Amino acid sequence: MDGSAARQTDYQALVLDYVRSPDQDAARPVRHPVIVVGAGPVGLTAAIDLAQQGVPVVLLDEDDRLSTGSRAICFAKRTLEIWDRLGCGERMVETGVTWNLGKVFFRDEPVYSFNLLPEAGHRRPAFVNLQQYYAEGFLLERARALPHIDLRWKNRVTGLEAGPEGVALTIETPEGEYRLACDWLVAADGARSPIRKAMGLESRGQSFRDRFLIADIRLEAEAAAAFPTERWFWFDPPFHPNQSVLLHKQPDGVWRIDFQLGWEADPVAERQPERVIPRIQALLGREARFTLEWVSIYTFACLRMERFRHGRVLFAGDAAHGVSPFGARGANSGVQDAENLAWKLRLVLAGQAPETLLDSYDAERVLAADENILNSTRSTDFITPKNEASRAFRDATLALARDCGFARSLVNSGRLSLPSTYRDSPLNTPDTDTFAGPMVPGAPAADAPVRRGGEAGWFLAQLGGGFTGTYFSDGGALPPALLDALRSLALGPVPVQPLVVAPPGLPPAAMPGLTILEDSEGLLARRYDARPGSFYLLRPDQHVAGRWRHVAPALVQAALARAIGQDGGTAC
Amino acid sequence: MLNTDLNLAAPDDVYEALVALHRDLTPEQSRLVNAKLILLLANHVGDAEVLRQAMAKARAGIAPAGRDGTRPVTA
């Protein structure tokens, strides 16, 4: 799984050259439809998604480097599925370390283990571990392959005027200042968000009185063999008493070790190798041979902005919300912000949806942030007890977990990132028919194996970049009226790509103008609780907009109008 | 609905057993035992609404005079 060092570009060392833009010589500020600020995982995802949909994007970054250090290392299934749609998921998975299993130890005994993807029939695993610089490097290369992205390094936003008609920016470069204007500004400029500050906005929440040490080490093969590719978490282990430790594998023979240090720890002294190395030797043994790759001390807070949309400025990722790292909910939720926003911006820019569609970005992603903050805060309460009573409950849970099943469910070393279901979104068309299972309106679409023209593939890979209408057939020929109705979905100004799903084993008859998928293992129908006649309308971000037991074009058109923020009317 | 009427056949025996549980423990050990007991009973009761009513009853009349390790933060 680990490749040779020569295989990959050294993304940490990459210097991204500042290039003078013709905009810097323009007599008046050049206006662009969308400017994204911040070329981290979130800004790059947003820019690629927009550009892939044909929207020209200017992407500004104040620096000329990708991530230093591994930073966000756990990329979740949903993030990989988004990056699949953006054409760079495969590289992430090829290079990343795939894992589904987590184990929790109390002192030196295993007390709990969990499998985050207990069922087969999914293209992507629960997680891959991948250094952030690889993720950014692969996104960058994808961005560079797209004609609509104008990447500008060493472009720092120093001034901002946001008005009802657009945003004016002052930008500092190595060659002096220039001005730009845009219809929409996406602020993906990180936890300290200069854009947020420039607008006088705040992110609020709570901080936790604890410090953690990250030590990334490169481990020699024989020492590494003792640890499988699982997430191992210790509470109060003999080698680091009274605190927690997390061990996790990354590509290139690198291991992430995360030591809880407590609030009293000295953040400067603790990052010195003479303090770090003995901690690692206590875990691995004095004879273990390793080199330090990256050391960092961190504290954290759970916080968010009150709103993510401020007129023509849209905040995404850490700029909008922050969580503790236990749960891998930072970068993953930011990537989901970007994908939620991209299709809405495109429709608004094209004049096909009202500006108020962007309020649904705020509603859906604020809800998602709250869900992430709730989960993250609960994990933090368990890992970093806030007072003597919460410490007693934590220790009691761990002690009971050895022989009481209920207590194992309470052990919380991080509830790992899952995509949010936008259950009460104004874009959903509520069910009028009865369905079972999790694929409710607002849910992210589940994957399943399918065959297309005899070729094995995956359902999510068939969804394209727009709305999709998935019709579950009985495998027989469709009545002409239904064929016409499905084909007509693709002809509107906001087209809905029709997909016809046939049951397993029935070689579906070709239907001109329609894509036919065989539900090769019957898992698609099972996961969607579909019967012949069932129909799902999926949004461009692959969330369910509406579903019916029998397709009626008027219902689909009304649901489409609702999903693009046009109340009550039909799609324009 | 939380039952606050007598539900124990031998209330003095149960009360004595609760006290006896801690007789030779330090305050820290007692806190751990109490926490385990609460978790075991909470799981046995199972009804989250009853548990919330019990928590509210337990807190009633106690004016908060402590604070935990979190702090409000603005960025």
Side-chain angles (χ1 to χ4, degrees):
Chain A
M1 200 165 294
D2 297 346
S4 68
R7 183 190 59 186
Q8 300 282 6
T9 308
D10 183 355
Y11 290 104
Q12 278 190 102
L14 211 59
V15 177
L16 301 149
D17 292 329
Y18 160 80
V19 178
R20 189 175 181 88
S21 162
D23 289 359
Q24 291 168 253
D25 301 312
R28 306 178 58 170
V30 177
R31 187 174 176 116
H32 296 272
V34 182
I35 294 177
V36 177
V37 182
V42 179
L44 281 163
T45 297
I48 293 167
D49 208 347
L50 286 160
Q52 197 169 273
Q53 297 179 51
V55 177
V57 183
V58 176
L59 178 54
L60 306 176
D61 196 281
E62 62 179 16
D63 201 6
D64 57 0
R65 297 247 183 187
L66 300 178
S67 168
T68 305
S70 61
R71 297 173 67 193
I73 58 163
C74 295
F75 294 100
K77 181 171 187 286
R78 182 63 204 150
T79 300
L80 298 172
E81 290 166 353
I82 292 168
W83 288 340
D84 276 334
R85 188 173 56 73
L86 300 183
C88 53
E90 189 61 30
R91 287 189 78 187
M92 307 281 183
V93 177
E94 270 174 14
T95 305
V97 173
T98 288
W99 65 277
N100 293 309
L101 273 179
K103 283 198 181 130
V104 178
F105 301 83
F106 180 37
R107 310 215 164 106
D108 47 7
E109 278 179 66
V111 290
Y112 177 64
S113 67
F114 53 88
N115 185 344
L116 296 166
L117 191 59
E119 58 175 24
H122 293 267
R123 182 182 187 188
R124 295 308 180 197
F127 280 92
V128 301
N129 283 0
L130 185 68
Q131 291 90 336
Q132 186 170 330
Y133 48 79
Y134 275 130
E136 291 181 1
F138 299 160
L139 286 164
L140 172 64
E141 283 163 16
R142 176 64 186 142
R144 282 174 166 165
L146 291 167
H148 292 305
I149 301 185
D150 180 349
L151 271 156
R152 301 185 191 176
W153 306 102
K154 287 275 180 199
N155 273 241
R156 179 200 302 271
V157 176
T158 54
L160 178 146
E161 287 161 55
E165 303 302 322
V167 184
L169 297 175
T170 306
I171 292 154
E172 187 184 275
T173 75
E175 297 178 305
E177 281 191 345
Y178 72 108
R179 289 175 62 78
L180 278 180
C182 59
D183 297 343
W184 300 98
L185 184 76
V186 179
D189 53 346
R192 293 187 192 91
S193 179
I195 304 270
R196 189 178 69 218
K197 287 202 173 65
M199 292 180 70
L201 300 168
E202 289 176 338
S203 193
R204 290 167 185 258
Q206 58 177 343
S207 67
F208 298 88
R209 287 156 70 85
D210 206 345
R211 295 184 203 280
F212 290 80
L213 162 71
I214 287 179
D216 274 1
I217 59 168
R218 201 178 284 263
L219 198 52
E220 295 209 342
E222 65 268 34
F227 303 105
T229 50
E230 298 170 356
R231 178 186 193 264
W232 282 17
F233 195 103
W234 289 266
F235 290 100
D236 191 18
F239 56 84
H240 191 60
N242 297 315
Q243 307 282 15
S244 67
V245 176
L246 173 64
L247 177 75
H248 228 173
K249 191 180 185 185
Q250 301 173 49
D252 304 332
V254 176
W255 294 74
R256 159 76 61 90
I257 312 176
D258 203 318
F259 294 95
Q260 185 180 27
L261 298 179
W263 182 242
E264 305 306 325
D266 177 340
V268 176
E270 289 294 349
R271 67 164 70 89
Q272 305 310 315
E274 60 269 25
R275 293 285 272 274
V276 176
I277 287 168
R279 294 195 188 282
I280 298 166
Q281 286 174 330
L283 164 61
L284 299 175
R286 289 198 65 82
E287 66 293 343
R289 293 164 67 86
F290 59 85
T291 49
L292 281 178
E293 283 274 308
W294 181 58
V295 173
S296 174
I297 304 274
Y298 67 91
T299 60
F300 52 79
C302 288
L303 71 181
R304 74 161 167 84
M305 296 177 70
E306 194 180 341
R307 287 178 293 121
F308 299 168
R309 180 186 174 201
H310 288 265
R312 288 181 169 261
V313 183
L314 300 134
F315 290 85
D318 287 352
H321 45 77
V323 288
S324 88
F326 300 101
R329 289 169 179 269
N332 286 303
S333 67
V335 168
Q336 290 160 38
D337 289 344
E339 113 146 326
N340 187 291
L341 181 56
W343 68 272
K344 294 174 182 175
L345 264 182
R346 184 187 72 78
L347 287 175
V348 169
L349 278 162
Q352 291 172 322
E355 279 182 32
T356 50
L357 177 61
L358 296 170
D359 292 331
S360 74
Y361 166 72
D362 187 82
E364 293 179 341
R365 296 312 299 171
V366 163
L367 178 139
D370 283 347
E371 193 174 299
N372 287 315
I373 287 170
L374 176 69
N375 278 289
S376 171
T377 303
R378 286 175 171 175
S379 301
T380 307
D381 286 345
F382 200 88
I383 295 163
T384 299
K386 290 169 167 172
N387 55 29
E388 287 171 336
S390 74
R391 169 120 206 157
F393 278 121
R394 198 282 295 276
D395 291 347
T397 301
L398 289 166
L400 290 170
R402 277 179 223 142
D403 52 2
C404 298
F406 85 92
R408 288 193 278 279
S409 307
L410 301 178
V411 172
N412 191 338
S413 71
R415 300 283 185 237
L416 284 116
S417 175
L418 289 170
S420 296
T421 292
Y422 308 135
R423 210 169 280 278
D424 299 316
S425 170
L427 308 189
N428 294 348
T429 294
D431 280 337
T432 46
D433 298 332
T434 306
F435 285 85
M439 297 306 301
V440 297
D447 204 2
V450 294
R451 285 182 167 280
R452 179 173 175 173
E455 295 244 342
W458 296 95
F459 177 65
L460 294 183
Q462 314 301 322
L463 295 182
F467 281 86
T468 309
T470 302
Y471 176 76
F472 290 84
S473 78
D474 63 6
L478 302 188
L482 180 58
L483 278 173
D484 286 347
L486 291 175
R487 287 194 189 111
S488 70
L489 290 175
L491 304 175
V494 178
V496 177
Q497 175 206 1
L499 290 177
V500 176
V501 177
L506 289 175
M511 293 174 230
L514 292 180
T515 300
I516 320 246
L517 305 175
E518 184 195 342
D519 184 9
S520 42
E521 297 174 34
L523 286 172
L524 191 66
R526 195 185 308 162
R527 286 179 184 158
Y528 286 75
D529 185 33
R531 299 196 288 263
S534 298
F535 182 90
Y536 274 79
L537 178 64
L538 299 175
R539 310 184 338 185
D541 58 6
Q542 303 180 344
H543 282 253
V544 176
R547 58 182 179 171
W548 302 269
R549 286 296 180 194
H550 300 284
V551 60
L555 292 178
V556 178
Q557 289 300 337
L560 176 64
R562 194 179 176 100
I564 62 175
Q566 294 173 335
D567 280 338
T570 51
C572 60
Chain B
M1 183 70 183
L2 181 70
N3 183 2
T4 55
D5 294 331
L6 181 64
N7 193 34
L8 300 165
D12 288 349
D13 291 357
V14 173
Y15 190 88
E16 185 199 355
L18 280 172
V19 174
L21 197 57
H22 298 276
R23 191 151 292 144
D24 49 0
L25 301 183
T26 66
E28 196 183 343
Q29 289 173 317
S30 281
R31 196 153 41 221
L32 181 65
V33 168
N34 275 339
K36 287 164 105 171
L37 192 60
I38 291 167
L39 290 171
L40 286 161
L41 294 174
N43 182 63
H44 186 85
V45 168
D47 184 332
E49 186 47 40
V50 169
L51 292 171
R52 279 183 218 288
Q53 289 168 12
M55 288 182 217
K57 192 79 190 160
R59 262 291 294 245
I62 297 180
R67 67 183 302 193
D68 68 19
T70 58
R71 296 288 181 270
V73 62
T74 302

